[in-house]
Amino acid sequence: MNERQQARRPGGRSARVGAEVHQAVTDLISERGYGNFTVGEVSARAGVADSSIYRRWGNLETLLTDVALTRLNAQSPMPDTGSLAGDLRTYAANVAREITGPDGLAVVRLAVALSGNGQQGLKAGGDLRAERMRQLQTMLDRARERGEQAPDAFTVLDHILAPMYIRVLFGMVPLAPDYVDGLVDRLL
């Protein structure tokens, strides 16, 4: 590691640029939809050089995947409440809040688009899915270690996440707390 890398601090210019680029992507997806903007437009919106984006992310697909993962992880972290029911309720409530928030539809559309956009999209969508499944699996493994019976990660996806995403995609919002808790209750 060189001196410049050692001197870089989290929360400094690098973090600020990352946040500005992420917000520019989210805004452009909200306004235009997936696939209707370029790295140049992201850089102009964020006020950074496009070379900075290429240097940091390599390409638009990698940037989009990073935006989706960062938003999902920041807004919907894996809880550890001490019980599977508590973890799932907290997690589902966090996801519901994120996907119905101001940029929620853009994040959902981004996740869907990344999953079906040719070879690059399949990799990006696969990366996004794999990271979320890994996180869910960690929560489920903790529950099993406590002696609780836990479903597999795909069952959580099918019974909790998919219904919420579908409702958001089709404009069936808000996601009321009773609805979200009911998804967890039916799963368990």
Side-chain angles (χ1 to χ4, degrees):
M1 190 164 13
N2 66 35
E3 288 178 35
R4 185 174 173 194
Q5 288 173 322
Q6 289 175 340
R8 190 177 289 169
R9 295 181 311 249
R13 183 180 185 286
S14 180
R16 190 174 57 253
V17 166
E20 290 166 357
V21 169
H22 279 214
Q23 189 60 52
V25 167
T26 303
D27 291 346
L28 286 164
I29 290 170
S30 291
E31 293 167 16
R32 301 183 190 172
Y34 175 82
N36 296 318
F37 55 89
T38 65
V39 168
E41 290 169 307
V42 172
S43 68
R45 176 75 61 105
V48 302
D50 57 352
S51 60
S52 295
I53 293 174
Y54 285 115
R55 186 172 41 257
R56 187 168 185 172
W57 288 281
N59 60 46
L60 188 57
E61 293 296 325
T62 303
L63 170 59
L64 296 174
T65 302
D66 185 52
V67 169
L69 275 172
T70 300
R71 286 293 301 272
L72 291 171
N73 291 337
Q75 301 297 321
S76 307
M78 291 297 141
D80 187 1
T81 66
S83 74
L84 180 59
D87 289 352
L88 288 173
R89 278 192 178 77
T90 301
Y91 175 66
N94 289 344
V95 170
R97 186 174 44 259
E98 167 62 15
I99 65 177
T100 59
D103 299 325
L105 182 57
V107 172
V108 171
R109 285 181 175 157
L110 176 56
V112 170
L114 285 171
S115 296
N117 186 31
Q119 211 50 27
Q120 272 289 89
L122 288 175
K123 182 193 179 322
D127 292 348
L128 180 62
R129 223 174 11 263
E131 176 61 16
R132 246 0 203 176
M133 295 301 276
R134 185 194 64 72
Q135 292 171 342
L136 280 171
Q137 194 59 54
T138 299
M139 179 187 357
L140 298 170
D141 289 345
R142 272 196 322 258
R144 286 186 192 96
E145 289 168 8
R146 291 189 300 260
E148 296 178 84
Q149 285 206 333
D152 63 64
F154 280 106
T155 302
V156 174
L157 179 74
D158 289 342
H159 289 85
I160 296 176
L161 296 178
M164 291 193 298
Y165 275 54
I166 291 296
R167 282 184 174 234
V168 168
L169 284 170
F170 287 103
M172 301 165 60
V173 290
L175 298 176
D178 290 349
Y179 170 75
V180 175
D181 283 345
L183 294 173
V184 174
D185 291 341
R186 284 188 293 280
L187 172 64
L188 297 176

